[in-house]
Amino acid sequence: MDTTDIPKAPMTALDICNLALSKLGESPLPGIDPNGTLASRLCYMHYHPVRREVLCANRWSFATVCATLTSREEGAADGSVNLPHTLPTDCLRVLDVSSPGWTLRGRSIYCPAAQVRVRYIADAERVEDFDPLFIEALATRLAMKLCIPLINSTTAHRSLADEYQRLALPQAAHFNAVQSHSNDSHPLYRLWKQSMSGGEQLGE
């Protein structure tokens, strides 16, 4: 059968869980049920926490969001008072804030400006928005979580941890960084051009 004939349905959270289970030699699940089999219960328990963990591990372009925050309190005319700005509910990690000297306390950013522009990693849930390599990193990290309770193998756990830390996450982060910039502005572009031309610069 020609692989081009296989329907290309969007991936789902279940698909990612089954990809993680396949790394452990486990059978795929028909669904994720909190009252189902051990594998199903574990996937239900760990999928979203692990997804948020991997999201926080890098500046993923598909999960990066900008927002303008306005404080409900009034500051001093000389800017000596730091005002609280409540973070959006879907904010997992603050990346940049337009006001210098800002601090993060709990779920609020404190700075003298009454209004600030914030860039952050959002709690992205739509699997169809995920990069393919992010999905691989997420499945590998999830397999680590499922490894001990499902197959009780410290050897497999160490192997998955090594795969995640040395290959899956760095590779996903690398290609995400490259595609987040125009080719001629990214610092890795010159190295890529050299590798493609056998060490010599390509003509413009």
Side-chain angles (χ1 to χ4, degrees):
M1 178 180 177
D2 190 338
T3 56
T4 58
D5 296 331
I6 299 175
K8 298 178 181 178
M11 286 200 72
T12 65
L14 175 61
D15 292 327
I16 295 176
C17 290
N18 282 332
L19 181 57
L21 290 171
S22 72
K23 293 176 178 291
L24 303 176
E26 294 289 300
S27 299
L29 297 171
I32 301 175
D33 183 356
N35 299 311
T37 64
L38 176 59
S40 184
R41 297 197 306 271
L42 288 170
C43 287
Y44 180 85
M45 182 187 307
H46 290 292
Y47 174 77
H48 286 300
V50 172
R51 176 183 57 78
R52 295 185 183 102
E53 176 188 327
V54 182
L55 280 170
C56 287
N58 186 60
R59 291 175 171 245
W60 307 107
S61 57
F62 66 85
T64 300
V65 174
C66 292
T68 299
L69 307 182
T70 302
S71 179
R72 294 183 178 181
E73 298 184 11
E74 294 185 4
D78 59 1
S80 60
V81 177
N82 282 333
L83 301 174
H85 302 75
T86 304
L87 290 173
T89 56
D90 66 342
C91 176
L92 293 179
R93 173 188 170 191
V94 176
L95 299 177
D96 302 295
V97 180
S98 61
S99 176
W102 61 275
T103 58
L104 179 63
R105 302 177 200 164
R107 295 290 300 174
S108 294
I109 290 172
Y110 286 80
C111 64
Q115 189 175 81
V116 294
R117 189 73 172 163
V118 178
R119 192 155 59 104
Y120 65 91
I121 295 296
D123 188 8
E125 295 190 49
R126 283 167 44 95
V127 176
E128 55 265 42
D129 293 338
F130 295 171
D131 290 342
L133 291 175
F134 172 85
I135 290 175
E136 177 63 22
L138 173 54
T140 304
R141 187 70 183 93
L142 182 57
M144 286 175 58
K145 286 287 187 181
L146 306 179
C147 184
I148 298 300
L150 274 183
I151 66 174
N152 194 29
S153 172
T154 55
T155 300
H157 186 273
R158 285 194 298 268
S159 177
L160 287 165
D162 186 68
E163 178 184 348
Y164 175 73
Q165 295 167 2
R166 296 179 181 273
L167 181 61
L169 182 61
Q171 186 179 53
H174 168 79
F175 282 97
N176 179 82
V178 170
Q179 72 179 7
S180 298
H181 295 71
S182 62
N183 284 344
D184 57 358
S185 69
H186 194 274
L188 296 175
Y189 179 59
R190 184 174 296 275
L191 295 177
W192 176 81
K193 286 181 67 177
Q194 290 176 344
S195 67
M196 292 297 290
S197 61
E200 297 182 1
Q201 289 293 315
L202 294 173
E204 296 295 331

PDB file of all heavy atoms in Angstrom, residues 26-41:
ATOM      1  N   GLU A  26       4.412  -0.981  24.963  1.00  0.00           N
ATOM      2  CA  GLU A  26       3.040  -1.204  25.418  1.00  0.00           C
ATOM      3  C   GLU A  26       2.046  -1.056  24.272  1.00  0.00           C
ATOM      4  O   GLU A  26       2.292  -0.340  23.302  1.00  0.00           O
ATOM      5  CB  GLU A  26       2.692  -0.210  26.525  1.00  0.00           C
ATOM      6  CG  GLU A  26       3.499  -0.393  27.804  1.00  0.00           C
ATOM      7  CD  GLU A  26       3.106  -1.641  28.560  1.00  0.00           C
ATOM      8  OE1 GLU A  26       1.935  -1.747  28.957  1.00  0.00           O
ATOM      9  OE2 GLU A  26       3.976  -2.521  28.734  1.00  0.00           O
ATOM     10  N   SER A  27       0.915  -1.707  24.398  1.00  0.00           N
ATOM     11  CA  SER A  27      -0.126  -1.634  23.377  1.00  0.00           C
ATOM     12  C   SER A  27      -0.797  -0.261  23.394  1.00  0.00           C
ATOM     13  O   SER A  27      -0.910   0.368  24.452  1.00  0.00           O
ATOM     14  CB  SER A  27      -1.185  -2.720  23.614  1.00  0.00           C
ATOM     15  OG  SER A  27      -0.608  -4.013  23.550  1.00  0.00           O
ATOM     16  N   PRO A  28      -1.269   0.211  22.238  1.00  0.00           N
ATOM     17  CA  PRO A  28      -1.951   1.508  22.194  1.00  0.00           C
ATOM     18  C   PRO A  28      -3.300   1.461  22.900  1.00  0.00           C
ATOM     19  O   PRO A  28      -3.929   0.415  23.001  1.00  0.00           O
ATOM     20  CB  PRO A  28      -2.115   1.765  20.688  1.00  0.00           C
ATOM     21  CG  PRO A  28      -2.103   0.410  20.077  1.00  0.00           C
ATOM     22  CD  PRO A  28      -1.160  -0.411  20.901  1.00  0.00           C
ATOM     23  N   LEU A  29      -3.711   2.614  23.376  1.00  0.00           N
ATOM     24  CA  LEU A  29      -4.995   2.746  24.060  1.00  0.00           C
ATOM     25  C   LEU A  29      -6.069   3.194  23.068  1.00  0.00           C
ATOM     26  O   LEU A  29      -5.811   4.019  22.197  1.00  0.00           O
ATOM     27  CB  LEU A  29      -4.890   3.789  25.181  1.00  0.00           C
ATOM     28  CG  LEU A  29      -3.934   3.501  26.327  1.00  0.00           C
ATOM     29  CD1 LEU A  29      -3.814   4.743  27.212  1.00  0.00           C
ATOM     30  CD2 LEU A  29      -4.415   2.317  27.144  1.00  0.00           C
ATOM     31  N   PRO A  30      -7.310   2.715  23.235  1.00  0.00           N
ATOM     32  CA  PRO A  30      -8.410   3.203  22.405  1.00  0.00           C
ATOM     33  C   PRO A  30      -8.915   4.564  22.878  1.00  0.00           C
ATOM     34  O   PRO A  30      -9.586   5.278  22.145  1.00  0.00           O
ATOM     35  CB  PRO A  30      -9.481   2.126  22.577  1.00  0.00           C
ATOM     36  CG  PRO A  30      -9.220   1.560  23.937  1.00  0.00           C
ATOM     37  CD  PRO A  30      -7.730   1.596  24.112  1.00  0.00           C
ATOM     38  N   GLY A  31      -8.595   4.899  24.120  1.00  0.00           N
ATOM     39  CA  GLY A  31      -9.026   6.163  24.700  1.00  0.00           C
ATOM     40  C   GLY A  31      -8.349   6.363  26.044  1.00  0.00           C
ATOM     41  O   GLY A  31      -7.741   5.441  26.589  1.00  0.00           O
ATOM     42  N   ILE A  32      -8.424   7.580  26.560  1.00  0.00           N
ATOM     43  CA  ILE A  32      -7.837   7.890  27.870  1.00  0.00           C
ATOM     44  C   ILE A  32      -8.970   7.966  28.886  1.00  0.00           C
ATOM     45  O   ILE A  32      -9.826   8.841  28.810  1.00  0.00           O
ATOM     46  CB  ILE A  32      -7.059   9.210  27.840  1.00  0.00           C
ATOM     47  CG1 ILE A  32      -5.934   9.141  26.792  1.00  0.00           C
ATOM     48  CG2 ILE A  32      -6.471   9.527  29.203  1.00  0.00           C
ATOM     49  CD1 ILE A  32      -5.194  10.445  26.598  1.00  0.00           C
ATOM     50  N   ASP A  33      -8.951   7.033  29.831  1.00  0.00           N
ATOM     51  CA  ASP A  33     -10.038   6.900  30.790  1.00  0.00           C
ATOM     52  C   ASP A  33      -9.470   6.918  32.208  1.00  0.00           C
ATOM     53  O   ASP A  33      -8.637   6.079  32.550  1.00  0.00           O
ATOM     54  CB  ASP A  33     -10.779   5.582  30.542  1.00  0.00           C
ATOM     55  CG  ASP A  33     -11.991   5.388  31.451  1.00  0.00           C
ATOM     56  OD1 ASP A  33     -12.214   6.251  32.330  1.00  0.00           O
ATOM     57  OD2 ASP A  33     -12.699   4.376  31.289  1.00  0.00           O
ATOM     58  N   PRO A  34      -9.887   7.876  33.046  1.00  0.00           N
ATOM     59  CA  PRO A  34      -9.377   7.924  34.421  1.00  0.00           C
ATOM     60  C   PRO A  34      -9.770   6.712  35.247  1.00  0.00           C
ATOM     61  O   PRO A  34      -9.201   6.474  36.315  1.00  0.00           O
ATOM     62  CB  PRO A  34      -9.998   9.204  34.985  1.00  0.00           C
ATOM     63  CG  PRO A  34     -11.216   9.433  34.158  1.00  0.00           C
ATOM     64  CD  PRO A  34     -10.870   8.950  32.790  1.00  0.00           C
ATOM     65  N   ASN A  35     -10.731   5.934  34.771  1.00  0.00           N
ATOM     66  CA  ASN A  35     -11.173   4.728  35.480  1.00  0.00           C
ATOM     67  C   ASN A  35     -10.848   3.459  34.696  1.00  0.00           C
ATOM     68  O   ASN A  35     -11.370   2.385  35.000  1.00  0.00           O
ATOM     69  CB  ASN A  35     -12.684   4.789  35.734  1.00  0.00           C
ATOM     70  CG  ASN A  35     -13.071   5.979  36.586  1.00  0.00           C
ATOM     71  OD1 ASN A  35     -12.467   6.218  37.628  1.00  0.00           O
ATOM     72  ND2 ASN A  35     -14.068   6.724  36.141  1.00  0.00           N
ATOM     73  N   GLY A  36      -9.963   3.588  33.689  1.00  0.00           N
ATOM     74  CA  GLY A  36      -9.644   2.459  32.840  1.00  0.00           C
ATOM     75  C   GLY A  36      -8.448   1.662  33.315  1.00  0.00           C
ATOM     76  O   GLY A  36      -8.202   1.531  34.520  1.00  0.00           O
ATOM     77  N   THR A  37      -7.684   1.143  32.360  1.00  0.00           N
ATOM     78  CA  THR A  37      -6.493   0.347  32.685  1.00  0.00           C
ATOM     79  C   THR A  37      -5.438   1.218  33.355  1.00  0.00           C
ATOM     80  O   THR A  37      -5.551   2.453  33.375  1.00  0.00           O
ATOM     81  CB  THR A  37      -5.904  -0.260  31.400  1.00  0.00           C
ATOM     82  OG1 THR A  37      -5.465   0.819  30.540  1.00  0.00           O
ATOM     83  CG2 THR A  37      -6.929  -1.105  30.663  1.00  0.00           C
ATOM     84  N   LEU A  38      -4.399   0.578  33.871  1.00  0.00           N
ATOM     85  CA  LEU A  38      -3.319   1.322  34.522  1.00  0.00           C
ATOM     86  C   LEU A  38      -2.696   2.312  33.547  1.00  0.00           C
ATOM     87  O   LEU A  38      -2.468   3.479  33.896  1.00  0.00           O
ATOM     88  CB  LEU A  38      -2.254   0.356  35.046  1.00  0.00           C
ATOM     89  CG  LEU A  38      -1.009   1.007  35.672  1.00  0.00           C
ATOM     90  CD1 LEU A  38      -1.372   1.888  36.858  1.00  0.00           C
ATOM     91  CD2 LEU A  38       0.001  -0.073  36.076  1.00  0.00           C
ATOM     92  N   ALA A  39      -2.424   1.867  32.321  1.00  0.00           N
ATOM     93  CA  ALA A  39      -1.829   2.765  31.328  1.00  0.00           C
ATOM     94  C   ALA A  39      -2.741   3.953  31.044  1.00  0.00           C
ATOM     95  O   ALA A  39      -2.280   5.097  30.929  1.00  0.00           O
ATOM     96  CB  ALA A  39      -1.541   1.994  30.041  1.00  0.00           C
ATOM     97  N   SER A  40      -4.035   3.696  30.941  1.00  0.00           N
ATOM     98  CA  SER A  40      -4.991   4.760  30.679  1.00  0.00           C
ATOM     99  C   SER A  40      -5.044   5.756  31.834  1.00  0.00           C
ATOM    100  O   SER A  40      -5.077   6.974  31.623  1.00  0.00           O
ATOM    101  CB  SER A  40      -6.375   4.163  30.432  1.00  0.00           C
ATOM    102  OG  SER A  40      -7.308   5.169  30.087  1.00  0.00           O
ATOM    103  N   ARG A  41      -5.048   5.245  33.048  1.00  0.00           N
ATOM    104  CA  ARG A  41      -5.090   6.129  34.229  1.00  0.00           C
ATOM    105  C   ARG A  41      -3.826   6.971  34.332  1.00  0.00           C
ATOM    106  O   ARG A  41      -3.881   8.156  34.678  1.00  0.00           O
ATOM    107  CB  ARG A  41      -5.284   5.303  35.504  1.00  0.00           C
ATOM    108  CG  ARG A  41      -6.597   4.533  35.563  1.00  0.00           C
ATOM    109  CD  ARG A  41      -6.923   4.081  36.979  1.00  0.00           C
ATOM    110  NE  ARG A  41      -5.858   3.317  37.599  1.00  0.00           N
ATOM    111  CZ  ARG A  41      -5.720   1.995  37.508  1.00  0.00           C
ATOM    112  NH1 ARG A  41      -6.575   1.287  36.765  1.00  0.00           N
ATOM    113  NH2 ARG A  41      -4.745   1.372  38.131  1.00  0.00           N
TER     114      ARG A  41
END
